[in-house]
Amino acid sequence: MEDAALEATSSAATSSAEFDFAQFRRWYNQAGTPVLQLERHWDAAGGTLTLTARQHTPHPRAAPQAAPGAAPGPGAGGPGRRGRACAPGGESELEAAARSLPPRWGQLSRLLVVDQAEQRFVLTGLEHQPHPPALSLLRRFSTPVRLEVERSSEELLHLLAHDSEPVARWDAGQTLLRRALIERAAGGPNEPLEEGLVAGFERILRDGLLSEANRSVLLDLPGLAELEAEAAEPDPPALFAAQLALERRFGSELAEPLLEALPRCTPQWDLPWPQGVGDRMLTATIWAWRAAAGEGAAIAAAAAAVEGPSMTLARAGLRALQPLEHPAREQALAAFYARWQDKPVILDAWFALEASAPLADGLERVQRLLEHPRFDPAAPNSVRAVLGGLAGNPPVFHAADGSGYRFMAARIAELDRRNPITASRLAKVFSRWQSYGAARGAAQRAALEQLADERLSTNTREVVEQCLGTEPQR
């Protein structure tokens, strides 16, 4: 049924008689996410761009020699073209997008079907220029692959500022933000890159063609898990500090366009879902960035939202205040607790926020939460709110002295005696201990060994032994 629907959609959408849907079905059904590697060679004198595409599927369940499938591949030019099944009129739409960009980056769009393990595409007739055309790839989430391609920060900044396709624009911005955050965490800010991001975000905030929902997504910073996965030897506290510092910079240097955007959002705050979603999302970003920059009006607005009718905005206000050591933060959390203390499902959000507060007394706060009269140790959601909040608190959980790891291991051992299933799931917070470098990895391994010395349930022991890389005890 699913394959039939895909084939019918493809037949209606594609204008290429050469597209082999049987081969696409193999690519679609094969286990694992394909990796698409793209290399380019630019002949400036001839105006010729050569793209070499290679695909493979690295997955333990994939065949050793996984057969190549057929997938819409990357197009090229300025903005180039990330492939998708050709929609009616797709080529003219893409050509219009290309013409909207500054000409120095080239103006060509193509749909390239990648259906072999290795292929070469030669695109001719491009403008003669010193550097290759910008590549705007996998537009509209056209092809679910992991793309590997070298693109300079200058090229990505150009796409962030000018690309007409929101997905490609978002992808460029996320790549740049990951680079900026990892570099800042590793030693210091990359000034040209961060200045380019400020300029690109200013353009996004003032782009009249974007919806507020698209605008908010384009401004969203990558999460810590994503940064850890990309960093060679992740330092979670340093990455977290880099996130806060970049938000502070954006909140300060983009103050004018952020304050211009807020009045556009305010009238839509009270609209029922799904109306007003984008406006509330963008408001959350504005509050977070301006509060990080120390702007009093944003801090006051975020705190006031806790008393308002919108739960979305109340949580957005609390998240904006979360990293601040400010009286407004304590007052807002107290107001939220007073309002929702008799609603356990909502109160779990308060427990999670308190447990994830990146403050010096973090472990003492978590211990007080575990002893709180409203905390239910028998409720898995409450346990996950507190201990999961701790695991998501980089300065506290990943403290250099290992105190956060030891505290978590002790709490998991206690939990295992009354709820082995929840305990075994929480024990997986240590599953990546080998990726954190020698000192932090050794501290996490010591916490795992601390757990292994306890009388554990079968479920939790299996997880612990798997994390340690030893055979589970039977």
Side-chain angles (χ1 to χ4, degrees):
M1 179 74 74
E2 190 175 77
D3 282 0
L6 283 169
E7 186 164 9
T9 302
S10 175
S11 299
T14 185
S15 58
S16 173
E18 299 177 359
F19 185 77
D20 184 353
F21 188 81
Q23 192 175 24
F24 173 76
R25 183 186 292 113
R26 180 176 64 206
W27 175 87
Y28 177 78
N29 290 326
Q30 188 168 263
T33 300
V35 173
L36 181 63
Q37 297 171 316
L38 196 65
E39 294 180 4
R40 58 181 161 181
H41 173 74
W42 172 237
D43 177 4
T48 300
L49 178 68
T50 302
L51 297 175
T52 301
R54 300 180 180 90
Q55 62 166 311
H56 67 282
T57 305
H59 190 281
R61 291 192 294 115
Q65 299 295 325
R81 160 124 180 89
R82 227 160 107 129
R84 60 184 172 89
C86 293
E91 284 302 311
S92 60
E93 172 191 342
L94 291 166
E95 289 164 2
R99 287 196 298 272
S100 72
L101 297 185
R104 70 188 188 88
W105 286 93
Q107 300 178 10
L108 176 69
S109 61
R110 294 281 176 85
L111 174 65
L112 308 178
V113 176
V114 180
D115 57 2
Q116 300 171 31
E118 180 172 335
Q119 285 170 268
R120 180 171 295 176
F121 303 94
V122 180
L123 309 177
T124 60
L126 294 173
E127 181 178 345
H128 297 208
Q129 56 193 19
H131 52 73
L135 294 179
S136 175
L137 304 167
L138 304 178
R139 295 158 71 82
R140 301 190 185 182
F141 287 122
S142 57
T143 310
V145 297
R146 286 174 47 210
L147 179 69
E148 295 179 358
V149 59
E150 289 293 329
R151 287 185 289 182
S152 69
S153 293
E154 181 189 15
E155 179 178 357
L156 292 167
L157 285 167
H158 172 80
L159 295 173
L160 175 65
H162 299 288
D163 204 316
S164 61
E165 211 287 296
V167 172
R169 201 173 187 180
W170 169 85
D171 182 63
Q174 290 295 296
T175 302
L176 290 166
L177 284 166
R178 289 193 296 270
R179 288 181 188 176
L181 288 164
I182 289 171
E183 286 193 40
R184 184 179 270 271
N190 180 328
E191 284 297 332
L193 174 53
E194 293 191 7
E195 288 170 5
L197 282 166
V198 169
F201 284 169
E202 180 175 4
R203 188 179 185 95
I204 286 167
L205 283 163
R206 287 177 165 154
D207 187 339
L209 299 179
L210 288 172
S211 68
E212 305 303 352
N214 279 343
R215 209 184 311 276
S216 66
V217 171
L218 287 169
L219 299 177
D220 195 30
L221 269 62
L224 195 66
E226 188 177 350
L227 295 173
E228 287 186 20
E230 184 145 327
E233 190 173 294
D235 182 343
L239 290 168
F240 179 75
Q243 287 177 317
L244 294 182
L246 202 55
E247 286 189 348
R248 190 179 308 118
R249 179 170 191 169
F250 291 156
S252 176
E253 297 187 23
L254 293 168
E256 186 176 325
L258 288 169
L259 293 176
E260 289 173 358
L262 193 56
R264 297 198 306 264
C265 300
T266 307
Q268 278 68 245
W269 282 357
D270 297 330
L271 294 178
W273 186 90
Q275 302 174 65
V277 169
D279 302 274
R280 292 187 283 270
M281 290 168 60
L282 184 58
T283 297
T285 298
I286 295 170
W287 283 348
W289 289 7
R290 294 296 291 142
E295 204 261 322
I299 292 172
V306 174
E307 302 282 4
S310 170
M311 180 60 70
T312 299
L313 288 176
R315 292 187 178 186
L318 290 173
R319 284 193 295 270
L321 298 171
Q322 175 75 335
L324 307 181
E325 293 194 62
H326 193 285
R329 179 192 181 281
E330 303 303 325
Q331 293 164 10
L333 281 163
F336 189 86
Y337 173 80
R339 185 175 182 184
W340 300 109
Q341 60 180 306
D342 295 323
K343 300 286 186 181
V345 174
I346 300 176
L347 194 61
D348 283 341
W350 177 84
F351 276 111
L353 282 165
E354 281 285 63
S356 59
L359 305 177
D361 64 342
L363 291 183
E364 290 81 2
R365 283 175 176 266
V366 172
Q367 187 59 48
R368 289 197 296 270
L369 292 172
L370 293 171
E371 297 168 357
H372 194 281
R374 294 284 182 179
F375 175 73
D376 183 359
N381 286 344
S382 296
V383 173
R384 281 192 292 267
V386 175
L387 295 183
L390 170 60
N393 187 341
V396 177
F397 180 61
H398 292 283
D401 63 0
S403 57
Y405 305 146
R406 293 191 297 272
F407 182 93
M408 179 69 84
R411 303 293 80 75
I412 291 173
E414 294 170 359
L415 175 64
D416 188 58
R417 290 191 278 272
R418 62 178 184 272
N419 191 330
I421 298 298
T422 303
S424 65
R425 290 173 178 169
L426 280 169
K428 294 176 183 178
V429 299
F430 296 116
S431 63
R432 296 183 61 247
W433 65 271
Q434 296 181 72
S435 69
Y436 287 106
R440 190 166 274 118
Q444 286 203 31
R445 182 180 176 87
L448 279 165
E449 291 171 343
Q450 172 187 333
L451 258 175
D453 288 339
E454 299 282 346
R455 292 177 59 86
L456 298 175
S457 67
T458 301
N459 287 337
T460 302
R461 180 161 299 282
E462 182 174 8
V463 171
V464 170
E465 299 290 356
Q466 285 175 348
C467 291
L468 287 169
T470 58
E471 288 296 322
Q473 297 178 5
R474 297 298 181 187

